[in-house]
Amino acid sequence: MGFDNLIPELGGFGRYQIFSLLTFMIFFGANGWQYSITVFIAGRMPHWCHVPELDHLNHSTFLHIAVPIEENQYGEAVYSQCRVYDFNYSSMGNITTEDVANWKPNGNISTRKCSGYIYDTSKFSSTLVSQYDLVCDRKWLYTLAASAFMAGLFCGAFFSGTLADRFGRQRTFSIMLILHLLSTLGAALVPNYVAFLVLRGLVGLSALGTYQTLWAYILEVIPKEARSKGFFILMLGRSSRGLLVLWAYFIRSHVHLQIMASLCLIPALIATFLLPESPRWLMATGRLKEAEKVCRRIARINGVKLPENFNINKFTEVEDKTVSDGNKKSATLFDLFRTPRLRKRTILSYCLWFSVVFFSYGLGLNIEKIIPGDIYLNMFLMMCVNEVGSLVIGYVALFKLKRRVVVSAWLIIAGVSVLAMAPVLLLNISGIVTALALIASVVVANLWTLVYLYAGELFPTVVRTIGIGSGSSVGRLGGLITPQLPLLGEIWYGLPYIVLGIVPVVVGVLVLCLPETKGQRLPDTLEEAEIFGTAEYDNRDYEMEALTSNDKRQGPLLNNNA
């Protein structure tokens, strides 16, 4: 028998499980902001050359005198953002508005590069663009902020999984959360762009490292019959991501916005220190004495009294009868590829991760380029309104439909919605484009919950966080690509939409090759993972439940008087 058979004896879905879910929800609010905050802290700002001698003029007069007109990529005549007329402005004296009423520049006047810049602060008071002058000749540095974060996510997904399976869930997510708080605060205060990129990478590493380790912890402590209910509760917490738009609207400085985001992690840090280690992980790694202590603590929290002669060995004898306490060998990433069924599922789960990450960040990070309109309104629709729709379809997905079918359907719907944007853009109806983007964002928001749940259920306990972490790392390769996605638009305007849409459609079909996991007992060992989804596994599960029922008829193991 495994931990799934033990959970009911500890009170089932009780106060301990509820506190674990609340801890995750508190954490997710501030952590989830980091995945979208780049849109605000690295927001593009209209800019022009700074000419100190003309500071006394209003903006329109300054542009008329000093800035040449050029043609943009759409063939429109606009004021240059990177060049200025090559005048000796210090010799012009105090130019007034009246002096330039009839002034027209000679068409043969030469121009020069900017020696400094002024920025339009109507949308943002400051961003990384204005702080580090990421424009014109330094424009190529602009995408590095998002790429550094994605690189951090890639590393965090892999390393946190390895650390969590080797050293434990609680220790890993606590350390990662401390690093998350410090690196977020440091990125806000550092005066150097290279140092910012390093710290932003650490933010990505620690943000995802904390998230997926705590997610695996939640998955392991919730009874299988309450899994759908528990993760629907977690979906309610996703709505707190929308607070970022509210904060960003009122806090237009990127420095202050990052400081606020870091301080909001403190309540989650306090809550995580109150959580014990995952008893399922302790049992799977053979640390049975520690597991028994944690089980007694969980039972006490849930109001269940365990007898003095309670022995946890009974619930591990089917998993591994030959291993002594504390001597189980740690599984590694290579174990995911040793056997044919687990190897196929690992590769398919990697494809699933890649498509979800690629699509989600491709849509979110490039919202200014892909979706026309006000950035605050669009982000509000993408992060708030879409969560309401996500709760509705999430309820249907978790309680009424099979995991495999709904993941496949959501991927295909998301992909088709974006593919439809390309021809609709020719009609110049921004409302339809926004509606299609909203449909895509609703299903992809739901997919984030489903992919963590579904992928976590596919892997056994001994390599669960390694499986989730390595899959998430592969997915972050897609995230590294997405900041460059708008560059495809220079070849043909519709190419970014086709690339972004075709990937989830293809993977949505491939997902149908994975087994169904809803309502199934989680596999704990590599042997069980290889037969998971087959009749052999179902028969073994039935025998375990029959054995548990027989033991209860012979005499209750526990005295449930609280």
Side-chain angles (χ1 to χ4, degrees):
M1 289 180 285
F3 186 70
D4 279 313
N5 301 97
L6 174 58
I7 292 181
E9 311 294 344
L10 304 179
F13 188 80
R15 289 193 292 265
Y16 162 71
Q17 283 74 17
I18 293 174
F19 178 76
S20 300
L21 291 172
L22 289 176
T23 298
F24 188 91
M25 292 172 69
I26 294 170
F27 157 76
F28 183 78
N31 179 75
W33 296 345
Q34 294 301 325
Y35 298 86
S36 303
I37 202 172
T38 303
V39 174
F40 300 109
I41 66 172
R44 297 181 185 272
M45 301 176 69
H47 55 89
W48 301 273
C49 294
H50 181 215
V51 181
E53 295 84 354
L54 302 182
D55 283 345
H56 64 287
L57 299 178
N58 63 51
H59 185 62
S60 59
T61 303
F62 159 73
L63 293 177
H64 180 62
I65 291 178
V67 182
I69 294 177
E70 60 186 19
E71 192 175 273
N72 66 10
Q73 59 180 328
Y74 303 108
E76 302 168 338
V78 297
Y79 285 107
S80 174
Q81 293 190 318
C82 298
R83 303 194 70 83
V84 67
Y85 286 125
D86 192 13
F87 290 146
N88 181 8
Y89 294 101
S90 60
S91 65
M92 289 185 175
N94 294 325
I95 300 176
T96 65
T97 303
E98 291 75 14
D99 295 331
V100 298
N102 298 316
W103 186 84
K104 292 183 180 180
N106 190 321
N108 297 323
I109 298 176
S110 62
T111 62
R112 58 179 170 82
K113 294 180 180 179
C114 302
S115 58
Y117 301 92
I118 56 173
Y119 295 90
D120 182 353
T121 57
S122 60
K123 185 184 295 183
F124 306 107
S125 64
S126 69
T127 69
L128 295 173
V129 172
S130 62
Q131 181 180 4
Y132 300 112
D133 287 334
L134 306 181
V135 295
C136 300
D137 292 342
R138 290 169 56 84
K139 187 177 180 179
W140 65 276
L141 294 168
Y142 172 78
T143 60
L144 295 184
S147 297
F149 182 72
M150 290 297 170
L153 293 178
F154 174 82
C155 297
F158 177 75
F159 288 118
S160 65
T162 302
L163 292 173
D165 281 334
R166 183 173 181 82
F167 299 108
R169 302 347 185 186
Q170 200 276 343
R171 184 181 302 175
T172 300
F173 62 62
S174 296
I175 293 174
M176 284 287 181
L177 188 50
I178 294 173
L179 178 61
H180 186 11
L181 191 156
L182 295 177
S183 57
T184 303
L185 186 60
L189 302 176
V190 70
N192 180 275
Y193 189 55
V194 174
F196 170 83
L197 294 178
V198 173
L199 287 169
R200 190 64 184 156
L202 289 176
V203 171
L205 184 152
S206 55
L208 189 60
T210 309
Y211 180 92
Q212 72 178 25
T213 308
L214 189 54
W215 183 277
Y217 180 94
I218 299 296
L219 181 63
E220 291 176 351
V221 300
I222 294 180
K224 64 179 181 179
E225 63 274 5
R227 237 179 274 151
S228 294
K229 178 174 67 175
F231 284 93
F232 181 74
I233 294 174
L234 291 185
M235 288 180 64
L236 296 173
R238 289 183 60 88
S239 59
S240 61
R241 295 193 315 144
L243 290 174
L244 174 63
V245 182
L246 180 65
W247 286 115
Y249 184 81
F250 291 104
I251 304 176
R252 301 296 180 99
S253 165
H254 70 294
V255 173
H256 297 155
L257 186 61
Q258 291 178 88
I259 292 175
M260 184 278 302
S262 67
L263 296 179
C264 288
L265 291 168
I266 294 176
L269 180 62
I270 296 172
T272 55
F273 280 114
L274 300 178
L275 292 173
E277 182 55 78
S278 166
R280 186 190 292 270
W281 176 81
L282 291 171
M283 291 171 63
T285 54
R287 301 168 67 170
L288 302 184
K289 292 180 180 179
E290 294 177 58
E292 185 169 321
K293 291 180 181 179
V294 171
C295 286
R296 290 186 179 277
R297 179 180 173 185
I298 292 173
R300 187 166 58 252
I301 294 172
N302 285 343
V304 174
K305 185 177 180 180
L306 295 177
E308 293 299 326
N309 61 349
F310 168 74
N311 193 335
I312 203 171
N313 288 312
K314 178 176 182 178
F315 296 90
T316 62
E317 58 188 19
V318 173
E319 293 179 14
D320 195 337
K321 297 180 180 180
T322 64
V323 180
S324 60
D325 190 2
N327 292 323
K328 285 193 178 182
K329 182 181 178 181
S330 298
T332 67
L333 176 66
F334 299 105
D335 290 313
L336 297 176
F337 298 93
R338 294 190 191 281
T339 53
R341 283 199 185 99
L342 189 55
R343 180 167 56 245
K344 181 185 76 172
R345 292 168 188 172
T346 299
I347 294 172
L348 288 177
S349 72
Y350 286 178
C351 293
L352 173 60
W353 275 108
F354 182 89
S355 65
V356 172
V357 174
F358 176 74
F359 183 85
S360 178
Y361 289 110
L363 192 64
L365 291 178
N366 301 301
I367 190 170
E368 284 188 286
K369 294 289 186 181
I370 293 178
I371 307 174
D374 181 77
I375 185 174
Y376 292 102
L377 177 59
N378 287 335
M379 287 299 291
F380 175 78
L381 292 174
M382 299 284 283
M383 297 181 67
C384 296
V385 176
N386 77 324
E387 293 296 344
V388 177
S390 178
L391 287 175
V392 176
I393 67 172
Y395 178 85
V396 175
L398 289 171
F399 293 98
K400 304 298 181 182
L401 300 176
K402 300 294 185 180
R403 307 263 198 263
R404 177 179 58 180
V405 174
V406 75
V407 169
S408 175
W410 280 192
L411 283 169
I412 294 173
I413 291 172
V416 170
S417 297
V418 171
L419 288 172
M421 289 184 190
V424 171
L425 279 172
L426 295 177
L427 302 176
N428 199 27
I429 305 176
S430 60
I432 297 179
V433 177
T434 302
L436 289 170
L438 189 58
I439 292 172
S441 66
V442 166
V443 294
V444 81
N446 194 234
L447 273 170
W448 274 113
T449 299
L450 289 172
V451 71
Y452 270 99
L453 176 58
Y454 189 43
E457 291 174 332
L458 287 172
F459 296 107
T461 301
V462 291
V463 288
R464 180 162 293 118
T465 51
I466 289 179
I468 296 175
S470 59
S472 184
S473 290
V474 172
R476 306 306 155 175
L477 295 176
L480 288 170
I481 300 171
T482 53
Q484 320 303 328
L485 200 59
L487 298 178
L488 296 176
E490 298 180 5
I491 302 174
W492 178 55
Y493 88 95
L495 195 54
Y497 300 92
I498 292 177
V499 173
L500 190 60
I502 199 68
V503 172
V505 171
V506 173
V507 175
V509 176
L510 294 177
V511 166
L512 295 175
C513 298
L514 290 169
E516 182 52 55
T517 62
K518 183 177 180 180
Q520 299 294 315
R521 181 179 64 85
L522 294 180
D524 287 319
T525 65
L526 293 168
E527 177 190 5
E528 288 183 341
E530 180 62 18
I531 63 173
F532 182 68
T534 66
E536 181 182 355
Y537 185 85
D538 293 338
N539 291 335
R540 179 181 293 190
D541 196 22
Y542 174 79
E543 292 173 0
M544 288 182 179
E545 291 182 357
L547 180 60
T548 302
S549 300
N550 183 56
D551 288 343
K552 288 184 177 180
R553 285 194 300 268
Q554 291 177 358
L557 173 67
L558 307 176
N559 178 9
N560 288 325
N561 294 325

